[in-house]
Amino acid sequence: MKERIVHEFSVEKKGKYILYWMQQSQRTIKNDALNLAIERGNALGLPVLVVFISLPDFPGANERHFSFMLQGIENVEANLKSKGIGFRYSFGKIEVELEKYLDDAQEFIMDKGYLKIQKKWRDNIKSLVASKYPMNTYMVESDVLVPLEIASTKEEYSARTLRTKINKHKDFFLVEEDDLLPKVLWSDTLVKIGEVGLSSEDIISRMNFKDNVGESKYFKGGENAAYQVLDDFLKNKFQHYLLRNHPEYDYMSSMSPYLHFGQISVVDIINRARDEFFIRDDISQEAYDSFFDELIVRRELAMNFVYYNEKYDQFEGITYPWAYETMANHIDDPREYIYSLDEFEKCQTHDIYWNASMKELVETGKMHTYMRMYWCKKIIEWTKNYEEAYNISIYLNNKYNIDGRDANSYAGIAWCFGKHDRAWKEREVFGKLRYMNANGLNRKFEMEEYLEKTKNYTGAE
Ligand SMILES: Cc1cc2nc3c(=O)[nH]c(=O)nc-3n(C[C@H](O)[C@H](O)[C@H](O)COP(=O)(O)OP(=O)(O)OC[C@H]3O[C@@H](n4cnc5c(N)ncnc54)[C@H](O)[C@@H]3O)c2cc1C
């Protein structure tokens, strides 16, 4: 769809292939960047080469994130091969590795990313292409329903303000085009560099992770797994989606790890959900609307936040003046409990629900949606000051959640500090920030069942 594409440079060049640097959209199904590469290849009579580059020192990444991602890359390689598209794996600094493939490329395609580091890579690569290998270059936005700058040209105040803008464009962007197949098949003689056929274990064994957080036994990565998880959700859980906030149940889609690595298309998810809703009587309009609101509006609000707010990951830049003011007014309030990072990480608080949620996170790599809010709110309550609470929340969230280091990680934690929320009744420590407590959990949910579900999880040592 042309509205998802920005034609960055328009320069004629001769080459042997169309090069697609896959970074954000790590999939072969419903990937607009890959489809554009195939379309350009077919128009020019050239094959397509996809390059994936893995950094040895991706900030904050550990074995848990890498194994999930690399299981996905194994899928990508196999699926590309079956379509006659070339694939190379490279290991090192993005610009250095990519440069090895640029000289022989006739056109160059990137997918779009919104985090600071992703924007920086793309800026550096654009400068490299412009200065040394000028050629037709495209950026394709394939991981949101409505391209960010079409939805809004500024940082949005809340879900309400973005929702109206998304609603204006949603029908247009829900239309999906069929995936393309290349007319000219890839031949491995075309490039002599890079690696193929590596298993995720091979690559993991070459890495040197700072954190000792192992692979999740509960979530397998890759587009094949993503569709299995989605099918299970649509078939067995979607009808109960309005109960998703109950920690004792598991009625969420579990799409967040797959979305984080671009292993599934958000447009495909919502279209499949809509088809299911149309044919089934047991899925209510409300359930579909709520799913749409979380998957599209909330998620794209998070992307809007990181895209337009340079300080999305620094305490002084995450929230509104009223929230900073109320925190300043309550900074000296006595805290009933104060825990260190180590105590939080080892699940050593006095609160059985908080400890259970932390154990769930450490064990599975994905904390229940509702418990994420409670978890962060309590870190605010039990820490010396707000900035330390923010830093601890970001650190633990990003270390253990497979879907960590996402736009949603930054927006979700910022929300606990008032972002995209409103002021509430004033109280100790929280000031006007929304408050949550264990009584609320007990009143609304069967917390004994959540404790039962998590009782064999041991947490970090
Ligand atoms: C303190 C805190 C930390 C969070 N950290 C992360 C994180 O590291 N990574 C992450 O992906 N999400 C994070 N979230 C948002 C949300 O909790 C998760 O996206 C959700 O739990 C993922 O589970 P699911 O895919 O099964 O959800 P579902 O209910 O099935 O939702 C479907 C999709 O909608 C989106 N979504 C759902 N809830 C939200 C939300 N509140 N904000 C934005 N998008 C949403 C997600 O992409 C999700 O995959 C955080 C929220 C909070 C309050």
Side-chain angles (χ1 to χ4, degrees):
M1 189 180 274
K2 70 177 187 339
E3 287 72 13
R4 294 191 181 279
I5 304 168
V6 174
H7 195 162
E8 302 277 356
F9 311 122
S10 180
V11 186
E12 294 286 319
K13 172 181 179 293
K14 283 280 166 230
K16 299 182 194 164
Y17 47 75
I18 306 294
L19 176 63
Y20 166 30
W21 167 47
M22 180 181 277
Q23 196 275 320
Q24 171 60 47
S25 312
Q26 297 171 17
R27 62 179 183 277
T28 63
I29 303 168
K30 303 289 177 192
N31 176 343
D32 294 87
L34 179 62
N35 277 325
L36 177 67
I38 300 171
E39 185 186 314
R40 296 299 304 148
N42 289 349
L44 296 165
L46 289 172
V48 173
L49 173 65
V50 175
V51 172
F52 182 80
I53 301 164
S54 194
L55 280 150
D57 55 353
F58 194 102
N62 54 45
E63 183 177 344
R64 173 165 295 180
H65 307 117
F66 258 82
S67 56
F68 189 89
M69 177 180 82
L70 294 170
Q71 286 155 7
I73 296 303
E74 277 182 44
N75 262 200
V76 162
E77 181 174 358
N79 295 348
L80 288 175
K81 198 169 172 195
S82 72
K83 291 183 182 190
I85 297 170
F87 176 83
R88 283 292 182 280
Y89 183 88
S90 266
F91 189 79
K93 215 168 165 265
I94 303 271
E95 297 87 322
V96 175
E97 291 308 305
L98 202 57
E99 185 165 7
K100 298 177 184 164
Y101 301 91
L102 287 170
D103 205 16
D104 281 338
Q106 179 149 331
E107 298 199 345
F108 176 54
I109 292 164
M110 301 176 267
D111 42 39
K112 185 157 174 159
Y114 307 106
L115 296 175
K116 243 182 264 183
I117 188 165
Q118 294 180 298
K119 289 202 240 172
K120 193 167 151 225
W121 287 332
R122 284 155 180 81
D123 288 345
N124 291 348
I125 286 158
K126 276 194 271 177
S127 310
L128 176 69
V129 172
S131 61
K132 287 177 77 178
Y133 310 95
M135 69 180 118
N136 269 321
T137 297
Y138 306 86
M139 176 104 78
V140 186
E141 200 165 353
S142 191
D143 277 44
V144 285
L145 177 65
V146 182
L148 247 63
E149 292 186 25
I150 295 182
S152 171
T153 50
K154 61 175 176 51
E155 189 183 349
E156 288 295 324
Y157 194 78
S158 66
R160 183 179 49 78
T161 60
L162 183 66
R163 191 175 292 115
T164 338
K165 297 181 178 177
I166 297 248
N167 281 341
K168 261 203 317 220
H169 299 284
K170 70 175 184 194
D171 291 336
F172 180 81
F173 285 103
L174 279 170
V175 177
E176 283 181 292
E177 284 158 17
D178 290 337
D179 282 339
L180 301 175
L181 284 173
K183 289 185 186 148
V184 181
L185 301 187
W186 176 255
S187 153
D188 263 337
T189 54
L190 285 172
V191 293
K192 303 255 174 298
I193 45 176
E195 296 188 67
V196 286
L198 295 174
S199 70
S200 54
E201 292 84 16
D202 289 337
I203 300 164
I204 296 278
S205 69
R206 297 189 199 176
M207 312 275 300
N208 198 2
F209 298 116
K210 223 168 63 203
D211 292 329
N212 179 23
V213 184
E215 179 180 345
S216 166
K217 295 194 288 286
Y218 301 78
F219 295 94
K220 186 173 162 40
E223 57 189 342
N224 301 353
Y227 279 100
Q228 279 167 16
V229 174
L230 178 62
D231 286 348
D232 177 47
F233 167 69
L234 294 177
K235 212 158 105 203
N236 304 312
K237 303 179 181 177
F238 194 14
Q239 64 271 34
H240 308 295
Y241 193 66
L242 295 178
L243 296 176
R244 69 188 176 285
N245 276 335
H246 284 243
E248 69 273 32
Y249 304 141
D250 175 23
Y251 289 146
M252 307 149 300
S253 69
S254 284
M255 283 292 100
S256 56
Y258 302 98
L259 285 165
H260 173 67
F261 290 101
Q263 294 177 350
I264 191 162
S265 145
V266 72
V267 185
D268 205 22
I269 298 178
I270 200 63
N271 277 330
R272 284 171 187 240
R274 195 185 47 179
D275 292 349
E276 202 70 14
F277 160 63
F278 279 141
I279 57 169
R280 295 232 318 257
D281 289 337
D282 60 341
I283 300 166
S284 63
Q285 178 77 50
E286 226 185 325
Y288 171 77
D289 290 346
S290 304
F291 188 55
F292 185 93
D293 213 59
E294 300 289 16
L295 182 72
I296 308 297
V297 179
R298 290 273 165 193
R299 180 169 176 271
E300 291 179 22
L301 180 65
M303 283 156 162
N304 168 284
F305 170 56
V306 302
Y307 191 63
Y308 288 117
N309 180 346
E310 273 290 305
K311 292 194 166 173
Y312 67 81
D313 57 351
Q314 291 155 49
F315 180 68
E316 71 270 19
I318 57 163
T319 190
Y320 299 125
W322 68 260
Y324 288 116
E325 195 184 313
T326 201
M327 289 190 268
N329 291 338
H330 289 269
I331 185 95
D332 294 325
D333 288 359
R335 272 74 170 156
E336 204 180 341
Y337 301 94
I338 292 191
Y339 297 112
S340 63
L341 167 63
D342 194 52
E343 288 166 319
F344 280 121
E345 189 159 9
K346 292 184 175 149
C347 314
Q348 288 168 350
T349 79
H350 65 285
D351 179 328
I352 45 174
Y353 302 143
W354 195 94
N355 294 345
S357 69
M358 188 67 213
K359 285 182 187 167
E360 180 184 33
L361 175 58
V362 171
E363 170 84 16
T364 68
K366 183 171 180 284
M367 191 188 292
H368 188 281
T369 305
Y370 195 87
M371 295 310 290
R372 293 196 202 213
M373 298 187 252
Y374 182 77
W375 174 86
C376 185
K377 288 288 183 184
K378 291 295 154 188
I379 297 178
I380 296 177
E381 192 175 334
W382 302 330
T383 313
K384 278 202 296 291
N385 63 60
Y386 305 99
E387 186 161 0
E388 186 175 325
Y390 176 75
N391 292 335
I392 290 177
S393 306
I394 289 282
Y395 174 76
L396 293 176
N397 185 92
N398 289 354
K399 180 170 175 182
Y400 290 103
N401 272 308
I402 306 170
D403 60 24
R405 302 166 304 132
D406 192 272
N408 275 349
S409 320
Y410 297 100
I413 288 168
W415 176 87
C416 293
F417 290 82
K419 185 76 183 180
H420 302 143
D421 200 7
R422 63 174 170 88
W424 294 73
K425 187 170 156 281
E426 194 148 1
R427 59 167 62 238
E428 291 253 296
V429 183
F430 282 83
K432 293 179 184 161
L433 299 180
R434 185 194 292 252
Y435 174 66
M436 288 173 82
N437 69 3
N439 289 342
L441 296 178
N442 283 326
R443 213 178 38 249
K444 294 190 221 157
F445 312 123
E446 301 298 329
M447 289 307 289
E448 284 305 317
E449 288 180 31
Y450 180 65
L451 293 181
E452 183 61 25
K453 205 165 75 171
T454 49
K455 76 169 191 246
N456 292 327
Y457 300 162
T458 49
E461 286 167 9

